[in-house]
Amino acid sequence: MNKDDLLNAIRTRMPEKRFVHTLGVMETAIRLAKVYEVDEKEAELSAILHDVVKFADRDWMKQTIIDQQMDPTLLTFHHELWHAPVGAYVAQQEFRVTNQDVLNAICYHTTGRKYMSKLEKIIYCADMIEPNRQFLGVDELRQQAEQGLDLLMKACVKHSIQFLIKKNQPVYPDSIHCYNDLVTKGK
């Protein structure tokens, strides 16, 4: 599928506001891919599909996690995390994505993980700093966008973890492993 066909295919799966967010993630991911020498088409594809099932039926996502033998720990955390791994599954099954790096970028765009590729980091960060996002601290994160991908990623995952802690929410283990990996690399 070309870019326009993909965008048309996902537009019907989400509210207009989320579609605008997806366009912002796509533009940001392409820009970051240029800066950090990552394939721009892979960044574009990952960004377009990152929220492909964000608004899918919760029971269907839960059953997909079970049926596809995804990490069962997901089911003990907030359902907001489910759309990422299930989205990677849909990208593979329905959109015939075979590139494992693209699938991982979709799968881990909400939690991060240890040993992330540059593409995975770009999608995680682009999702957080795209121009339509408005939250306390987003401008500071955006300013770090070209100061080093690991620095940006560390700042983004740290912000996410702190947000969850302030809301007294549990932090998914992959996010902790991601943060620890980035911190230990920086030493």
Side-chain angles (χ1 to χ4, degrees):
M1 276 189 169
N2 67 34
K3 177 175 116 177
D4 291 335
D5 290 339
L6 276 171
L7 289 171
N8 287 332
I10 63 145
R11 185 176 211 148
T12 60
R13 297 172 184 242
M14 57 187 65
E16 186 64 21
K17 185 176 180 180
R18 181 55 54 165
F19 182 71
V20 169
H21 161 74
T22 298
L23 294 176
V25 174
M26 180 186 74
E27 292 162 6
T28 304
I30 291 168
R31 182 173 54 80
L32 291 173
K34 287 177 185 173
V35 171
Y36 295 111
E37 300 175 350
V38 169
D39 186 291
E40 293 169 42
K41 287 294 181 191
E42 290 177 7
E44 178 183 84
L45 178 61
S46 303
I48 290 171
L49 292 175
H50 85 283
D51 276 349
V52 68
V53 297
K54 176 86 172 173
F55 295 92
D57 179 74
R58 216 179 287 165
D59 290 332
W60 174 80
M61 284 195 284
K62 180 179 182 178
Q63 195 58 52
T64 301
I65 290 168
I66 294 166
D67 291 346
Q68 296 307 311
Q69 300 177 347
M70 296 177 189
D71 182 358
T73 307
L74 283 164
L75 300 176
T76 65
F77 282 79
H78 197 278
H79 64 84
E80 276 291 315
L81 296 182
W82 300 354
H83 78 280
V86 175
Y89 170 76
V90 167
Q92 182 179 41
Q93 296 299 308
E94 188 176 330
F95 293 92
R96 303 292 180 230
V97 175
T98 58
N99 182 314
Q100 193 59 52
D101 202 19
V102 170
L103 295 171
N104 286 341
I106 296 166
C107 185
Y108 297 104
H109 83 269
T110 58
T111 60
R113 69 174 182 149
K114 191 175 185 177
Y115 308 129
M116 291 177 81
S117 71
K118 285 166 67 171
L119 178 62
E120 290 174 75
K121 292 173 186 174
I122 284 170
I123 300 305
Y124 183 99
C125 295
D127 185 37
M128 189 171 280
I129 67 169
E130 64 93 3
N132 302 293
R133 290 281 198 196
Q134 298 300 321
F135 58 83
L136 189 61
V138 71
D139 291 329
E140 290 79 10
L141 292 173
R142 288 180 183 131
Q143 289 171 4
Q144 295 185 47
E146 295 183 23
Q147 295 178 10
L149 187 54
D150 281 348
L151 289 174
L152 174 61
M153 182 66 198
K154 184 165 54 171
C156 286
V157 77
K158 182 178 179 181
H159 185 278
S160 180
I161 290 170
Q162 288 174 332
F163 172 80
L164 291 169
I165 290 170
K166 284 179 189 170
K167 294 191 70 106
N168 202 34
Q169 296 291 316
V171 179
Y172 193 72
D174 280 349
S175 299
I176 299 293
H177 298 311
C178 177
Y179 176 76
N180 288 342
D181 183 47
L182 291 162
V183 169
T184 57
K185 278 183 186 173
K187 290 186 176 184

Short mmCIF file of all heavy atoms in Angstrom, two decimals, residues 14-68:
data_model
loop_
_atom_site.label_atom_id
_atom_site.label_comp_id
_atom_site.label_asym_id
_atom_site.label_seq_id
_atom_site.Cartn_x
_atom_site.Cartn_y
_atom_site.Cartn_z
N MET A 14 -10.52 5.63 13.39
CA MET A 14 -10.26 6.52 14.53
C MET A 14 -10.99 7.84 14.38
O MET A 14 -11.31 8.25 13.26
CB MET A 14 -8.75 6.75 14.67
CG MET A 14 -8.08 7.33 13.46
SD MET A 14 -6.26 7.42 13.56
CE MET A 14 -5.77 5.73 13.63
N PRO A 15 -11.21 8.53 15.49
CA PRO A 15 -11.79 9.87 15.42
C PRO A 15 -10.84 10.82 14.69
O PRO A 15 -9.62 10.58 14.62
CB PRO A 15 -11.94 10.29 16.89
CG PRO A 15 -11.75 9.06 17.70
CD PRO A 15 -10.97 8.10 16.87
N GLU A 16 -11.37 11.90 14.18
CA GLU A 16 -10.58 12.87 13.43
C GLU A 16 -9.40 13.40 14.25
O GLU A 16 -8.30 13.56 13.73
CB GLU A 16 -11.47 14.03 12.96
CG GLU A 16 -10.75 15.03 12.06
CD GLU A 16 -10.29 14.46 10.72
OE1 GLU A 16 -10.83 13.43 10.27
OE2 GLU A 16 -9.38 15.06 10.13
N LYS A 17 -9.62 13.64 15.53
CA LYS A 17 -8.55 14.15 16.39
C LYS A 17 -7.37 13.17 16.44
O LYS A 17 -6.20 13.57 16.41
CB LYS A 17 -9.08 14.42 17.80
CG LYS A 17 -8.07 15.06 18.73
CD LYS A 17 -8.69 15.39 20.07
CE LYS A 17 -7.64 16.02 20.97
NZ LYS A 17 -8.18 16.36 22.28
N ARG A 18 -7.64 11.88 16.50
CA ARG A 18 -6.58 10.88 16.54
C ARG A 18 -5.90 10.77 15.17
O ARG A 18 -4.71 10.54 15.08
CB ARG A 18 -7.13 9.53 16.97
CG ARG A 18 -6.12 8.41 17.08
CD ARG A 18 -4.92 8.69 17.98
NE ARG A 18 -5.27 9.11 19.31
CZ ARG A 18 -4.43 9.14 20.35
NH1 ARG A 18 -3.18 8.74 20.21
NH2 ARG A 18 -4.82 9.58 21.52
N PHE A 19 -6.67 10.96 14.11
CA PHE A 19 -6.08 10.95 12.77
C PHE A 19 -5.11 12.13 12.62
O PHE A 19 -4.00 11.96 12.09
CB PHE A 19 -7.17 11.00 11.69
CG PHE A 19 -6.62 10.93 10.30
CD1 PHE A 19 -6.07 9.75 9.82
CD2 PHE A 19 -6.63 12.05 9.47
CE1 PHE A 19 -5.55 9.67 8.53
CE2 PHE A 19 -6.12 11.98 8.19
CZ PHE A 19 -5.57 10.80 7.71
N VAL A 20 -5.49 13.29 13.12
CA VAL A 20 -4.61 14.47 13.08
C VAL A 20 -3.34 14.18 13.89
O VAL A 20 -2.23 14.52 13.48
CB VAL A 20 -5.34 15.73 13.59
CG1 VAL A 20 -4.39 16.89 13.80
CG2 VAL A 20 -6.45 16.12 12.61
N HIS A 21 -3.50 13.53 15.04
CA HIS A 21 -2.35 13.11 15.85
C HIS A 21 -1.45 12.18 15.03
O HIS A 21 -0.23 12.34 15.03
CB HIS A 21 -2.83 12.40 17.12
CG HIS A 21 -1.79 11.55 17.78
ND1 HIS A 21 -0.72 12.06 18.49
CD2 HIS A 21 -1.64 10.19 17.81
CE1 HIS A 21 0.03 11.06 18.93
NE2 HIS A 21 -0.50 9.92 18.53
N THR A 22 -2.03 11.22 14.35
CA THR A 22 -1.26 10.28 13.54
C THR A 22 -0.46 11.01 12.46
O THR A 22 0.71 10.69 12.22
CB THR A 22 -2.18 9.21 12.92
OG1 THR A 22 -2.79 8.48 13.99
CG2 THR A 22 -1.43 8.26 12.02
N LEU A 23 -1.08 11.99 11.82
CA LEU A 23 -0.35 12.79 10.82
C LEU A 23 0.82 13.53 11.46
O LEU A 23 1.91 13.61 10.89
CB LEU A 23 -1.30 13.78 10.14
CG LEU A 23 -2.40 13.18 9.27
CD1 LEU A 23 -3.32 14.29 8.75
CD2 LEU A 23 -1.82 12.37 8.12
N GLY A 24 0.61 14.04 12.67
CA GLY A 24 1.68 14.72 13.39
C GLY A 24 2.81 13.78 13.76
O GLY A 24 3.99 14.13 13.65
N VAL A 25 2.46 12.55 14.17
CA VAL A 25 3.48 11.55 14.48
C VAL A 25 4.26 11.21 13.22
O VAL A 25 5.49 11.11 13.23
CB VAL A 25 2.86 10.28 15.11
CG1 VAL A 25 3.90 9.19 15.29
CG2 VAL A 25 2.21 10.61 16.45
N MET A 26 3.55 11.06 12.10
CA MET A 26 4.20 10.73 10.84
C MET A 26 5.20 11.82 10.44
O MET A 26 6.36 11.52 10.11
CB MET A 26 3.15 10.55 9.74
CG MET A 26 3.72 10.20 8.38
SD MET A 26 2.44 10.17 7.09
CE MET A 26 2.14 11.94 6.88
N GLU A 27 4.78 13.06 10.48
CA GLU A 27 5.66 14.17 10.10
C GLU A 27 6.86 14.25 11.04
O GLU A 27 8.00 14.45 10.59
CB GLU A 27 4.88 15.48 10.10
CG GLU A 27 3.85 15.55 9.00
CD GLU A 27 2.78 16.62 9.22
OE1 GLU A 27 2.89 17.41 10.20
OE2 GLU A 27 1.82 16.66 8.43
N THR A 28 6.63 14.10 12.33
CA THR A 28 7.71 14.16 13.31
C THR A 28 8.67 12.99 13.13
O THR A 28 9.89 13.15 13.20
CB THR A 28 7.13 14.18 14.74
OG1 THR A 28 6.22 15.29 14.85
CG2 THR A 28 8.23 14.33 15.78
N ALA A 29 8.13 11.80 12.89
CA ALA A 29 8.96 10.61 12.70
C ALA A 29 9.85 10.75 11.47
O ALA A 29 11.03 10.39 11.50
CB ALA A 29 8.09 9.36 12.60
N ILE A 30 9.29 11.28 10.40
CA ILE A 30 10.09 11.47 9.17
C ILE A 30 11.21 12.47 9.44
O ILE A 30 12.35 12.26 9.02
CB ILE A 30 9.18 11.91 8.00
CG1 ILE A 30 8.26 10.76 7.59
CG2 ILE A 30 10.02 12.40 6.82
CD1 ILE A 30 7.14 11.16 6.64
N ARG A 31 10.89 13.55 10.14
CA ARG A 31 11.91 14.56 10.46
C ARG A 31 13.02 13.96 11.32
O ARG A 31 14.21 14.15 11.06
CB ARG A 31 11.27 15.75 11.18
CG ARG A 31 12.24 16.86 11.52
CD ARG A 31 11.55 18.10 12.08
NE ARG A 31 10.71 17.84 13.23
CZ ARG A 31 11.15 17.68 14.47
NH1 ARG A 31 12.43 17.74 14.75
NH2 ARG A 31 10.30 17.48 15.46
N LEU A 32 12.63 13.20 12.35
CA LEU A 32 13.63 12.57 13.21
C LEU A 32 14.44 11.51 12.46
O LEU A 32 15.64 11.35 12.70
CB LEU A 32 12.96 11.94 14.44
CG LEU A 32 12.36 12.91 15.47
CD1 LEU A 32 11.59 12.16 16.54
CD2 LEU A 32 13.42 13.81 16.08
N ALA A 33 13.79 10.81 11.55
CA ALA A 33 14.49 9.79 10.74
C ALA A 33 15.59 10.45 9.90
O ALA A 33 16.69 9.90 9.76
CB ALA A 33 13.50 9.04 9.86
N LYS A 34 15.30 11.61 9.36
CA LYS A 34 16.32 12.34 8.58
C LYS A 34 17.49 12.71 9.47
O LYS A 34 18.65 12.54 9.09
CB LYS A 34 15.71 13.61 7.97
CG LYS A 34 14.80 13.35 6.81
CD LYS A 34 14.19 14.65 6.29
CE LYS A 34 13.16 14.35 5.21
NZ LYS A 34 12.43 15.55 4.78
N VAL A 35 17.19 13.23 10.65
CA VAL A 35 18.24 13.67 11.57
C VAL A 35 19.10 12.49 12.02
O VAL A 35 20.33 12.60 12.07
CB VAL A 35 17.63 14.39 12.80
CG1 VAL A 35 18.68 14.66 13.87
CG2 VAL A 35 16.94 15.69 12.38
N TYR A 36 18.45 11.36 12.33
CA TYR A 36 19.17 10.23 12.92
C TYR A 36 19.47 9.10 11.93
O TYR A 36 19.78 7.99 12.34
CB TYR A 36 18.42 9.73 14.16
CG TYR A 36 18.42 10.80 15.23
CD1 TYR A 36 17.25 11.47 15.58
CD2 TYR A 36 19.61 11.19 15.83
CE1 TYR A 36 17.27 12.48 16.54
CE2 TYR A 36 19.63 12.20 16.78
CZ TYR A 36 18.47 12.84 17.13
OH TYR A 36 18.48 13.85 18.05
N GLU A 37 19.36 9.43 10.65
CA GLU A 37 19.76 8.52 9.57
C GLU A 37 19.07 7.16 9.66
O GLU A 37 19.71 6.11 9.66
CB GLU A 37 21.28 8.38 9.53
CG GLU A 37 21.97 9.70 9.28
CD GLU A 37 23.49 9.62 9.34
OE1 GLU A 37 24.04 8.59 9.77
OE2 GLU A 37 24.12 10.62 8.95
N VAL A 38 17.75 7.21 9.72
CA VAL A 38 16.91 6.02 9.72
C VAL A 38 16.06 6.09 8.45
O VAL A 38 15.69 7.17 7.99
CB VAL A 38 16.02 5.98 10.99
CG1 VAL A 38 14.95 4.91 10.92
CG2 VAL A 38 16.89 5.76 12.22
N ASP A 39 15.73 4.95 7.90
CA ASP A 39 14.93 4.89 6.68
C ASP A 39 13.61 5.65 6.88
O ASP A 39 12.81 5.29 7.76
CB ASP A 39 14.66 3.42 6.33
CG ASP A 39 13.95 3.28 5.00
OD1 ASP A 39 12.76 3.66 4.92
OD2 ASP A 39 14.58 2.78 4.05
N GLU A 40 13.40 6.67 6.07
CA GLU A 40 12.23 7.53 6.23
C GLU A 40 10.93 6.80 5.91
O GLU A 40 9.89 7.06 6.53
CB GLU A 40 12.37 8.78 5.37
CG GLU A 40 13.49 9.69 5.84
CD GLU A 40 13.81 10.80 4.85
OE1 GLU A 40 12.86 11.38 4.29
OE2 GLU A 40 15.01 11.08 4.65
N LYS A 41 10.96 5.89 4.97
CA LYS A 41 9.76 5.12 4.61
C LYS A 41 9.36 4.18 5.76
O LYS A 41 8.17 3.99 6.01
CB LYS A 41 9.98 4.32 3.33
CG LYS A 41 10.00 5.18 2.08
CD LYS A 41 8.65 5.80 1.85
CE LYS A 41 8.62 6.64 0.60
NZ LYS A 41 7.40 7.44 0.51
N GLU A 42 10.34 3.62 6.43
CA GLU A 42 10.04 2.76 7.59
C GLU A 42 9.45 3.60 8.72
O GLU A 42 8.52 3.17 9.41
CB GLU A 42 11.29 2.03 8.06
CG GLU A 42 11.76 0.96 7.09
CD GLU A 42 13.05 0.28 7.52
OE1 GLU A 42 13.53 0.53 8.65
OE2 GLU A 42 13.58 -0.52 6.72
N ALA A 43 9.99 4.80 8.92
CA ALA A 43 9.45 5.70 9.95
C ALA A 43 8.03 6.12 9.60
O ALA A 43 7.14 6.13 10.46
CB ALA A 43 10.35 6.92 10.10
N GLU A 44 7.80 6.42 8.33
CA GLU A 44 6.47 6.81 7.87
C GLU A 44 5.46 5.69 8.09
O GLU A 44 4.38 5.90 8.66
CB GLU A 44 6.54 7.18 6.39
CG GLU A 44 5.21 7.56 5.77
CD GLU A 44 5.37 7.84 4.28
OE1 GLU A 44 5.34 6.86 3.49
OE2 GLU A 44 5.55 9.01 3.93
N LEU A 45 5.81 4.48 7.67
CA LEU A 45 4.92 3.33 7.82
C LEU A 45 4.62 3.04 9.29
O LEU A 45 3.45 2.85 9.67
CB LEU A 45 5.55 2.10 7.15
CG LEU A 45 4.78 0.78 7.25
CD1 LEU A 45 3.40 0.90 6.59
CD2 LEU A 45 5.59 -0.35 6.61
N SER A 46 5.64 3.04 10.11
CA SER A 46 5.46 2.78 11.55
C SER A 46 4.53 3.83 12.17
O SER A 46 3.65 3.49 12.96
CB SER A 46 6.81 2.81 12.28
OG SER A 46 7.71 1.90 11.73
N ALA A 47 4.75 5.07 11.81
CA ALA A 47 3.95 6.16 12.37
C ALA A 47 2.49 6.08 11.93
O ALA A 47 1.58 6.25 12.75
CB ALA A 47 4.55 7.51 11.97
N ILE A 48 2.27 5.79 10.67
CA ILE A 48 0.89 5.70 10.18
C ILE A 48 0.13 4.59 10.89
O ILE A 48 -1.04 4.76 11.26
CB ILE A 48 0.87 5.47 8.65
CG1 ILE A 48 1.34 6.73 7.91
CG2 ILE A 48 -0.53 5.07 8.17
CD1 ILE A 48 1.57 6.54 6.42
N LEU A 49 0.79 3.48 11.15
CA LEU A 49 0.10 2.33 11.73
C LEU A 49 0.19 2.24 13.26
O LEU A 49 -0.40 1.33 13.86
CB LEU A 49 0.65 1.03 11.12
CG LEU A 49 0.33 0.82 9.64
CD1 LEU A 49 1.02 -0.42 9.11
CD2 LEU A 49 -1.18 0.74 9.41
N HIS A 50 0.88 3.18 13.90
CA HIS A 50 1.13 3.01 15.34
C HIS A 50 -0.15 2.95 16.18
O HIS A 50 -0.19 2.28 17.19
CB HIS A 50 2.12 4.07 15.86
CG HIS A 50 1.49 5.37 16.25
ND1 HIS A 50 1.09 6.32 15.33
CD2 HIS A 50 1.21 5.89 17.47
CE1 HIS A 50 0.58 7.36 15.97
NE2 HIS A 50 0.64 7.12 17.27
N ASP A 51 -1.20 3.63 15.77
CA ASP A 51 -2.46 3.62 16.53
C ASP A 51 -3.59 2.94 15.76
O ASP A 51 -4.76 3.24 15.98
CB ASP A 51 -2.87 5.06 16.88
CG ASP A 51 -2.19 5.59 18.13
OD1 ASP A 51 -1.55 4.81 18.86
OD2 ASP A 51 -2.30 6.81 18.38
N VAL A 52 -3.26 2.01 14.88
CA VAL A 52 -4.25 1.40 13.99
C VAL A 52 -5.42 0.76 14.74
O VAL A 52 -6.54 0.76 14.25
CB VAL A 52 -3.58 0.41 13.00
CG1 VAL A 52 -3.05 -0.82 13.71
CG2 VAL A 52 -4.54 0.03 11.88
N VAL A 53 -5.18 0.25 15.94
CA VAL A 53 -6.28 -0.36 16.71
C VAL A 53 -6.56 0.38 18.03
O VAL A 53 -7.20 -0.17 18.92
CB VAL A 53 -6.05 -1.87 16.98
CG1 VAL A 53 -5.99 -2.66 15.68
CG2 VAL A 53 -4.82 -2.11 17.81
N LYS A 54 -6.10 1.60 18.13
CA LYS A 54 -6.29 2.39 19.35
C LYS A 54 -7.76 2.41 19.80
O LYS A 54 -8.06 2.43 20.98
CB LYS A 54 -5.77 3.81 19.12
CG LYS A 54 -5.98 4.77 20.26
CD LYS A 54 -4.89 4.69 21.24
CE LYS A 54 -5.03 5.82 22.27
NZ LYS A 54 -4.08 5.68 23.34
N PHE A 55 -8.67 2.41 18.83
CA PHE A 55 -10.10 2.50 19.16
C PHE A 55 -10.84 1.21 18.87
O PHE A 55 -12.07 1.20 18.75
CB PHE A 55 -10.72 3.70 18.42
CG PHE A 55 -10.14 5.00 18.91
CD1 PHE A 55 -9.04 5.56 18.26
CD2 PHE A 55 -10.63 5.62 20.04
CE1 PHE A 55 -8.47 6.74 18.73
CE2 PHE A 55 -10.06 6.79 20.51
CZ PHE A 55 -8.98 7.35 19.86
N ALA A 56 -10.11 0.12 18.79
CA ALA A 56 -10.74 -1.19 18.58
C ALA A 56 -11.43 -1.64 19.86
O ALA A 56 -11.14 -1.14 20.96
CB ALA A 56 -9.68 -2.21 18.16
N ASP A 57 -12.31 -2.59 19.73
CA ASP A 57 -13.05 -3.14 20.85
C ASP A 57 -12.08 -3.74 21.88
O ASP A 57 -11.20 -4.53 21.53
CB ASP A 57 -14.01 -4.22 20.34
CG ASP A 57 -14.79 -4.85 21.46
OD1 ASP A 57 -15.72 -4.20 21.98
OD2 ASP A 57 -14.45 -6.00 21.82
N ARG A 58 -12.26 -3.36 23.13
CA ARG A 58 -11.38 -3.80 24.21
C ARG A 58 -11.40 -5.32 24.39
O ARG A 58 -10.37 -5.93 24.60
CB ARG A 58 -11.80 -3.11 25.50
CG ARG A 58 -10.64 -2.76 26.38
CD ARG A 58 -11.09 -2.05 27.63
NE ARG A 58 -11.51 -0.69 27.32
CZ ARG A 58 -12.21 0.07 28.14
NH1 ARG A 58 -12.57 -0.37 29.32
NH2 ARG A 58 -12.55 1.30 27.81
N ASP A 59 -12.58 -5.90 24.32
CA ASP A 59 -12.68 -7.35 24.48
C ASP A 59 -11.95 -8.08 23.34
O ASP A 59 -11.31 -9.10 23.56
CB ASP A 59 -14.15 -7.80 24.54
CG ASP A 59 -14.83 -7.36 25.83
OD1 ASP A 59 -14.12 -7.20 26.86
OD2 ASP A 59 -16.06 -7.17 25.81
N TRP A 60 -12.07 -7.54 22.13
CA TRP A 60 -11.36 -8.13 20.99
C TRP A 60 -9.84 -8.05 21.19
O TRP A 60 -9.12 -9.01 20.94
CB TRP A 60 -11.77 -7.44 19.69
CG TRP A 60 -10.96 -7.91 18.53
CD1 TRP A 60 -11.14 -9.07 17.82
CD2 TRP A 60 -9.81 -7.26 17.98
NE1 TRP A 60 -10.16 -9.17 16.85
CE2 TRP A 60 -9.34 -8.07 16.93
CE3 TRP A 60 -9.14 -6.08 18.26
CZ2 TRP A 60 -8.23 -7.74 16.15
CZ3 TRP A 60 -8.03 -5.74 17.49
CH2 TRP A 60 -7.60 -6.57 16.47
N MET A 61 -9.37 -6.89 21.67
CA MET A 61 -7.93 -6.75 21.91
C MET A 61 -7.47 -7.74 22.99
O MET A 61 -6.44 -8.40 22.84
CB MET A 61 -7.56 -5.32 22.31
CG MET A 61 -7.55 -4.36 21.14
SD MET A 61 -6.72 -2.79 21.49
CE MET A 61 -7.94 -1.97 22.49
N LYS A 62 -8.24 -7.85 24.05
CA LYS A 62 -7.90 -8.80 25.11
C LYS A 62 -7.82 -10.22 24.57
O LYS A 62 -6.86 -10.95 24.85
CB LYS A 62 -8.94 -8.71 26.24
CG LYS A 62 -8.67 -9.64 27.39
CD LYS A 62 -9.73 -9.48 28.48
CE LYS A 62 -9.44 -10.38 29.66
NZ LYS A 62 -10.43 -10.20 30.73
N GLN A 63 -8.81 -10.59 23.78
CA GLN A 63 -8.82 -11.95 23.21
C GLN A 63 -7.66 -12.15 22.24
O GLN A 63 -7.07 -13.24 22.20
CB GLN A 63 -10.16 -12.23 22.52
CG GLN A 63 -10.39 -13.70 22.24
CD GLN A 63 -10.34 -14.55 23.51
OE1 GLN A 63 -11.02 -14.27 24.50
NE2 GLN A 63 -9.52 -15.60 23.49
N THR A 64 -7.29 -11.12 21.50
CA THR A 64 -6.15 -11.22 20.58
C THR A 64 -4.86 -11.42 21.36
O THR A 64 -4.01 -12.25 20.97
CB THR A 64 -6.06 -9.96 19.69
OG1 THR A 64 -7.27 -9.83 18.94
CG2 THR A 64 -4.88 -10.04 18.73
N ILE A 65 -4.71 -10.73 22.46
CA ILE A 65 -3.52 -10.92 23.31
C ILE A 65 -3.44 -12.36 23.79
O ILE A 65 -2.38 -12.99 23.75
CB ILE A 65 -3.54 -9.93 24.50
CG1 ILE A 65 -3.30 -8.50 23.99
CG2 ILE A 65 -2.51 -10.31 25.56
CD1 ILE A 65 -3.59 -7.42 25.01
N ILE A 66 -4.57 -12.92 24.18
CA ILE A 66 -4.62 -14.31 24.66
C ILE A 66 -4.36 -15.27 23.50
O ILE A 66 -3.50 -16.15 23.59
CB ILE A 66 -5.98 -14.60 25.34
CG1 ILE A 66 -6.11 -13.77 26.63
CG2 ILE A 66 -6.14 -16.09 25.62
CD1 ILE A 66 -7.52 -13.71 27.19
N ASP A 67 -5.11 -15.09 22.41
CA ASP A 67 -5.02 -16.02 21.27
C ASP A 67 -3.62 -16.02 20.63
O ASP A 67 -3.15 -17.06 20.18
CB ASP A 67 -6.05 -15.67 20.20
CG ASP A 67 -7.47 -15.94 20.64
OD1 ASP A 67 -7.67 -16.63 21.67
OD2 ASP A 67 -8.40 -15.44 19.96
N GLN A 68 -2.99 -14.86 20.58
CA GLN A 68 -1.68 -14.76 19.93
C GLN A 68 -0.53 -14.99 20.92
O GLN A 68 0.62 -14.78 20.58
CB GLN A 68 -1.53 -13.40 19.23
CG GLN A 68 -2.52 -13.21 18.10
CD GLN A 68 -2.48 -14.35 17.10
OE1 GLN A 68 -1.42 -14.74 16.63
NE2 GLN A 68 -3.65 -14.90 16.78
#
